[in-house]
């Protein structure tokens, strides 16, 4: 019981830290792709925080996984949003260095978050608990993949377009 509450406390701190990071970089960047991506992931991290906080309160009071509280979180749509934005922003120039550094830091956050939630998922036996932490692990992994995609776009837009639009070097 105590170990799970400690894990939830770590998760809460991480979600807030990540949200603050994303909001900070959304304010700093002039790149519309970066701004939208950072704001979207910040909103998703806030939702995770709120659900974890709700879970923590119930767990601390009842000393067990809640039976009646809906602890579902929305999935992420960051990949679709980024694809739309990047497809419409075809200037072919690498992104700002600050955005790239922020994306690389975010990649590390999301990889660690996915690993953390997967570890929690693997440690629990309650099916609802397993599903909840598995979903958070999946969403963090999706953030990771979207950020890796964004990293590629920021470092090599032409390679990104070639990969996503399926064009070959032969002009097809």
């Amino acid at each position: 019981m105590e170990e799970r509450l400690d894990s939830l406390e770590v998760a809460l701190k991480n979600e807030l830290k990540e949200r603050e990071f994303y909001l900070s970089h959304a304010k700093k960047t002039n790149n519309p792709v970066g701004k939208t991506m950072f704001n979207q992931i910040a909103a998703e991290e806030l939702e995770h925080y709120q659900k974890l906080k709700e879970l923590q309160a119930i767990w601390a009071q009842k000393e067990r996984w809640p039976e009646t509280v809906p602890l579902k979180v929305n999935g992420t749509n960051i990949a679709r949003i980024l694809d739309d934005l990047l497809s419409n922003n075809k200037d072919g120039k690498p992104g700002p260095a600050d955005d790239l550094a922020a994306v690389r830091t975010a990649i590390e956050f999301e990889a660690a978050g996915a690993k953390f939630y997967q570890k929690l998922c693997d440690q629990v036996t309650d099916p609802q608990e397993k599903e909840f932490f598995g979903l958070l692990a999946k969403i963090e992994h999706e953030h990771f993949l979207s950020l890796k995609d964004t990293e590629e776009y920021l470092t090599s837009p032409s390679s990104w377009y070639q990969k996503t639009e399926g064009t070959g070097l032969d002009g097809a």
Side-chain angles (χ1 to χ4, degrees):
M1 165 71 184
E2 191 65 34
E3 184 179 316
R4 286 206 189 111
L5 284 173
D6 290 345
S7 294
L8 284 175
E9 190 62 38
V10 169
L12 284 163
K13 287 177 185 175
N14 286 344
E15 294 295 335
L16 276 184
K17 179 181 170 186
E18 289 174 16
R19 181 175 192 275
E20 290 167 7
F21 172 84
Y22 291 125
L23 289 175
S24 169
H25 284 282
K27 288 178 187 173
K28 290 178 189 176
T29 186
N30 292 322
N31 182 313
V33 172
K35 189 171 291 295
T36 299
M37 178 196 62
F38 290 136
N39 280 322
Q40 177 63 36
I41 296 177
E44 291 175 12
E45 299 298 356
L46 177 61
E47 182 193 16
H48 300 169
Y49 174 82
Q50 291 166 336
K51 294 297 183 180
L52 288 166
K53 193 72 174 164
E54 184 180 345
L55 172 61
Q56 182 191 42
I58 293 168
W59 210 336
Q61 181 184 21
K62 296 184 178 183
E63 296 186 0
R64 62 184 164 82
W65 187 265
E67 293 174 19
T68 58
V69 177
L71 289 172
K72 297 276 185 197
V73 294
N74 293 325
T76 183
N77 63 354
I78 191 66
R80 185 189 50 77
I81 290 170
L82 287 177
D83 281 346
D84 291 348
L85 277 168
L86 295 174
S87 293
N88 293 322
N89 188 23
K90 297 184 178 189
D91 64 7
K93 298 177 192 167
D98 288 350
D99 287 355
L100 182 57
V103 165
R104 287 180 172 158
T105 299
I107 287 169
E108 292 174 21
F109 280 159
E110 298 301 332
K115 184 177 179 181
F116 178 75
Y117 289 126
Q118 189 59 54
K119 181 179 174 189
L120 286 176
C121 179
D122 293 344
Q123 291 175 346
V124 299
T125 57
D126 180 281
Q128 284 183 293
E129 208 173 344
K130 195 171 267 307
E131 181 183 347
F132 180 74
F133 289 122
L135 177 61
L136 288 176
K138 179 181 174 241
I139 290 170
E140 298 295 326
H141 183 70
E142 288 175 14
H143 288 171
F144 169 82
L145 293 175
S146 294
L147 287 160
K148 290 295 283 181
D149 201 34
T150 303
E151 178 186 38
E152 182 179 357
Y153 170 78
L154 291 173
T155 56
S156 180
S158 58
S159 294
W160 183 88
Y161 285 115
Q162 185 176 355
K163 179 182 88 173
T164 59
E165 294 181 0
T167 57
L169 296 176
D170 61 359

